[in-house]
Amino acid sequence: MKNNSLAMIATIAAVGALASLTGYIDPAICGKPQENSWMNCEEVANQTLTAFWACFAVAAASLTGYLLQLRKANRALRGKR
């Protein structure tokens, strides 16, 4: 069995990015802001978008690394023939 850890990380990070957008709260449709609350809608929206972009960046980097590994392995196989 091959070690596809970069592909697994890319898949998990992509699912995490999509999951973070599932819970996105649009600050434009939020109700009246409450002064006593510990977070407001804008902060929650910003944190959600930050989590999305962080997961997306990890997924993109992992996928790129995995594709580079595949390319390197294919070149090595062609060189042996």
Side-chain angles (χ1 to χ4, degrees):
M1 176 182 247
K2 289 185 179 182
N3 184 0
N4 293 330
S5 59
L6 285 177
M8 287 188 295
I9 291 171
T11 303
I12 292 168
V15 169
L18 291 175
S20 70
L21 285 184
T22 302
Y24 179 71
I25 298 172
D26 187 8
I29 62 169
C30 258
K32 181 178 163 184
Q34 298 176 358
E35 294 177 19
N36 295 336
S37 66
W38 57 280
M39 290 188 75
N40 61 24
C41 287
E42 290 181 13
E43 291 175 358
V44 172
N46 287 338
Q47 288 181 0
T48 302
L49 290 176
T50 301
F52 167 76
W53 286 113
C55 288
F56 183 80
V58 169
S62 299
L63 182 62
T64 302
Y66 174 67
L67 293 175
L68 289 174
Q69 280 183 346
L70 283 179
R71 177 183 268 182
K72 185 177 178 181
N74 285 339
R75 285 186 181 172
L77 286 175
R78 285 186 206 147
K80 289 183 178 180
R81 290 182 183 179

